[in-house]
Amino acid sequence: MASRQKILVVDDDDNIAELISLYLTKEMFEAQTASDGEEALELFRSFKPDLVILDLMLPGRDGYDVCREIRKTADTPIIMLSAKGETFDKVLGLELGADDYMIKPFDSKELVARVKAVLRRYGKKENASSSEENAAKAAGVKVVRYPGLEVNLTNYSVIFNGKALEMPPKELELLYFLASQPGQVFTREQLLDHIWGYEYVGDTRTVDVHIKRLREKLRGNDAWSISTVWGIGYKFEVK
């Protein structure tokens, strides 16, 4: 029997944490809870969760700080929870590396649905079956190359200026999609549809955040760039 996927729930409200844990357990996840930032980081290292549900307003180290610490060593998906609904808070959470963001109060069933959707997206890379790998090989390696850049979608690798570059799956998929169609302009809605799929419940700011991360990681090459087409979206431009 396959082991259950593990979820770490971090919230200083014990009632909320236990309620989320209960819903997750009913859906056959294994859940553990933490009530502050330090406990969350300790459990993250020992429990090794497949996903973290992280409240922002925690005693001691807040959710932003916990997210920063996790992202120093792991790409484990994170769903942030907050009573704050301002755009700034959402964008900051996404920029720090969160994969989704929900506002309190929320529907527990919707949260579970988002957990499943995020895990499906990440599972595309990590849980590919051998038959899928063989099919990919039979179809040919999916790779694009430009001066100083190689993006391989078959084995999810990026070589930038001669060095392997660590990159979360969605960033890599977005880069490959744009680079495989140089010069073509895509709206944010088109990129959401192609990369995140119709199940994604976020908004177009997610695309902007991922583009920003890609630009930060791919600095120092004048042969190509990810360009903004004002009022429309983005394109991969070869100069």
mmCIF file of all heavy atoms in Angstrom, residues 73-89:
data_model
loop_
_atom_site.group_PDB
_atom_site.id
_atom_site.type_symbol
_atom_site.label_atom_id
_atom_site.label_comp_id
_atom_site.label_asym_id
_atom_site.label_seq_id
_atom_site.Cartn_x
_atom_site.Cartn_y
_atom_site.Cartn_z
ATOM 1 N N THR A 73 16.096 25.657 1.810
ATOM 2 C CA THR A 73 16.552 24.279 1.648
ATOM 3 C C THR A 73 15.599 23.378 0.872
ATOM 4 O O THR A 73 15.984 22.274 0.502
ATOM 5 C CB THR A 73 16.779 23.638 3.029
ATOM 6 O OG1 THR A 73 15.547 23.658 3.778
ATOM 7 C CG2 THR A 73 17.837 24.395 3.818
ATOM 8 N N ALA A 74 14.357 23.830 0.646
ATOM 9 C CA ALA A 74 13.375 22.908 0.052
ATOM 10 C C ALA A 74 12.381 23.640 -0.833
ATOM 11 O O ALA A 74 12.078 24.823 -0.629
ATOM 12 C CB ALA A 74 12.621 22.161 1.156
ATOM 13 N N ASP A 75 11.842 22.898 -1.818
ATOM 14 C CA ASP A 75 10.793 23.413 -2.704
ATOM 15 C C ASP A 75 9.428 22.861 -2.321
ATOM 16 O O ASP A 75 8.487 22.902 -3.119
ATOM 17 C CB ASP A 75 11.104 23.046 -4.160
ATOM 18 C CG ASP A 75 12.315 23.789 -4.692
ATOM 19 O OD1 ASP A 75 12.507 24.948 -4.287
ATOM 20 O OD2 ASP A 75 13.064 23.214 -5.492
ATOM 21 N N THR A 76 9.306 22.346 -1.109
ATOM 22 C CA THR A 76 8.040 21.797 -0.631
ATOM 23 C C THR A 76 6.918 22.817 -0.821
ATOM 24 O O THR A 76 7.060 23.971 -0.414
ATOM 25 C CB THR A 76 8.142 21.439 0.865
ATOM 26 O OG1 THR A 76 9.242 20.555 1.059
ATOM 27 C CG2 THR A 76 6.851 20.793 1.356
ATOM 28 N N PRO A 77 5.804 22.440 -1.452
ATOM 29 C CA PRO A 77 4.720 23.410 -1.680
ATOM 30 C C PRO A 77 4.144 23.949 -0.374
ATOM 31 O O PRO A 77 4.037 23.232 0.624
ATOM 32 C CB PRO A 77 3.676 22.613 -2.470
ATOM 33 C CG PRO A 77 4.058 21.178 -2.304
ATOM 34 C CD PRO A 77 5.516 21.125 -2.049
ATOM 35 N N ILE A 78 3.784 25.234 -0.409
ATOM 36 C CA ILE A 78 3.262 25.934 0.761
ATOM 37 C C ILE A 78 1.974 26.653 0.384
ATOM 38 O O ILE A 78 1.934 27.390 -0.617
ATOM 39 C CB ILE A 78 4.280 26.961 1.296
ATOM 40 C CG1 ILE A 78 5.554 26.258 1.763
ATOM 41 C CG2 ILE A 78 3.677 27.780 2.442
ATOM 42 C CD1 ILE A 78 6.674 27.219 2.127
ATOM 43 N N ILE A 79 0.935 26.452 1.179
ATOM 44 C CA ILE A 79 -0.298 27.227 1.051
ATOM 45 C C ILE A 79 -0.384 28.141 2.257
ATOM 46 O O ILE A 79 -0.410 27.665 3.397
ATOM 47 C CB ILE A 79 -1.540 26.315 0.987
ATOM 48 C CG1 ILE A 79 -1.484 25.414 -0.247
ATOM 49 C CG2 ILE A 79 -2.824 27.158 0.972
ATOM 50 C CD1 ILE A 79 -2.651 24.437 -0.348
ATOM 51 N N MET A 80 -0.414 29.443 2.042
ATOM 52 C CA MET A 80 -0.471 30.396 3.144
ATOM 53 C C MET A 80 -1.915 30.705 3.525
ATOM 54 O O MET A 80 -2.795 30.800 2.655
ATOM 55 C CB MET A 80 0.239 31.695 2.771
ATOM 56 C CG MET A 80 1.747 31.622 2.862
ATOM 57 S SD MET A 80 2.512 33.241 2.647
ATOM 58 C CE MET A 80 4.207 32.864 3.112
ATOM 59 N N LEU A 81 -2.132 30.884 4.821
ATOM 60 C CA LEU A 81 -3.434 31.289 5.359
ATOM 61 C C LEU A 81 -3.275 32.636 6.049
ATOM 62 O O LEU A 81 -2.289 32.861 6.748
ATOM 63 C CB LEU A 81 -3.953 30.272 6.375
ATOM 64 C CG LEU A 81 -4.076 28.813 5.948
ATOM 65 C CD1 LEU A 81 -4.568 27.978 7.125
ATOM 66 C CD2 LEU A 81 -5.031 28.677 4.769
ATOM 67 N N SER A 82 -4.256 33.521 5.858
ATOM 68 C CA SER A 82 -4.162 34.817 6.515
ATOM 69 C C SER A 82 -5.520 35.479 6.616
ATOM 70 O O SER A 82 -6.381 35.288 5.758
ATOM 71 C CB SER A 82 -3.215 35.743 5.736
ATOM 72 O OG SER A 82 -3.177 37.025 6.328
ATOM 73 N N ALA A 83 -5.694 36.270 7.681
ATOM 74 C CA ALA A 83 -6.898 37.089 7.810
ATOM 75 C C ALA A 83 -6.755 38.348 6.978
ATOM 76 O O ALA A 83 -7.708 39.080 6.778
ATOM 77 C CB ALA A 83 -7.133 37.441 9.272
ATOM 78 N N LYS A 84 -5.538 38.594 6.495
ATOM 79 C CA LYS A 84 -5.299 39.781 5.670
ATOM 80 C C LYS A 84 -5.706 39.494 4.234
ATOM 81 O O LYS A 84 -5.408 38.439 3.698
ATOM 82 C CB LYS A 84 -3.825 40.174 5.712
ATOM 83 C CG LYS A 84 -3.328 40.560 7.100
ATOM 84 C CD LYS A 84 -1.863 40.942 7.036
ATOM 85 C CE LYS A 84 -1.349 41.372 8.396
ATOM 86 N NZ LYS A 84 0.075 41.775 8.351
ATOM 87 N N GLY A 85 -6.364 40.475 3.609
ATOM 88 C CA GLY A 85 -6.803 40.275 2.244
ATOM 89 C C GLY A 85 -6.204 41.251 1.264
ATOM 90 O O GLY A 85 -6.548 41.266 0.087
ATOM 91 N N GLU A 86 -5.263 42.106 1.727
ATOM 92 C CA GLU A 86 -4.699 43.106 0.849
ATOM 93 C C GLU A 86 -3.816 42.465 -0.215
ATOM 94 O O GLU A 86 -3.166 41.446 0.024
ATOM 95 C CB GLU A 86 -3.868 44.122 1.639
ATOM 96 C CG GLU A 86 -4.693 45.026 2.544
ATOM 97 C CD GLU A 86 -5.044 44.357 3.869
ATOM 98 O OE1 GLU A 86 -4.623 43.193 4.060
ATOM 99 O OE2 GLU A 86 -5.729 44.993 4.684
ATOM 100 N N THR A 87 -3.794 43.095 -1.392
ATOM 101 C CA THR A 87 -2.984 42.589 -2.499
ATOM 102 C C THR A 87 -1.521 42.480 -2.101
ATOM 103 O O THR A 87 -0.835 41.515 -2.449
ATOM 104 C CB THR A 87 -3.119 43.511 -3.721
ATOM 105 O OG1 THR A 87 -4.477 43.512 -4.148
ATOM 106 C CG2 THR A 87 -2.227 43.044 -4.861
ATOM 107 N N PHE A 88 -1.031 43.445 -1.321
ATOM 108 C CA PHE A 88 0.380 43.442 -0.930
ATOM 109 C C PHE A 88 0.745 42.157 -0.204
ATOM 110 O O PHE A 88 1.779 41.549 -0.461
ATOM 111 C CB PHE A 88 0.687 44.649 -0.035
ATOM 112 C CG PHE A 88 2.058 44.605 0.585
ATOM 113 C CD1 PHE A 88 3.179 44.974 -0.145
ATOM 114 C CD2 PHE A 88 2.244 44.177 1.894
ATOM 115 C CE1 PHE A 88 4.455 44.918 0.412
ATOM 116 C CE2 PHE A 88 3.509 44.118 2.457
ATOM 117 C CZ PHE A 88 4.614 44.498 1.716
ATOM 118 N N ASP A 89 -0.113 41.739 0.722
ATOM 119 C CA ASP A 89 0.177 40.532 1.502
ATOM 120 C C ASP A 89 0.192 39.295 0.617
ATOM 121 O O ASP A 89 1.025 38.408 0.789
ATOM 122 C CB ASP A 89 -0.855 40.368 2.613
ATOM 123 C CG ASP A 89 -0.792 41.505 3.619
ATOM 124 O OD1 ASP A 89 0.256 41.652 4.257
ATOM 125 O OD2 ASP A 89 -1.762 42.258 3.729
#
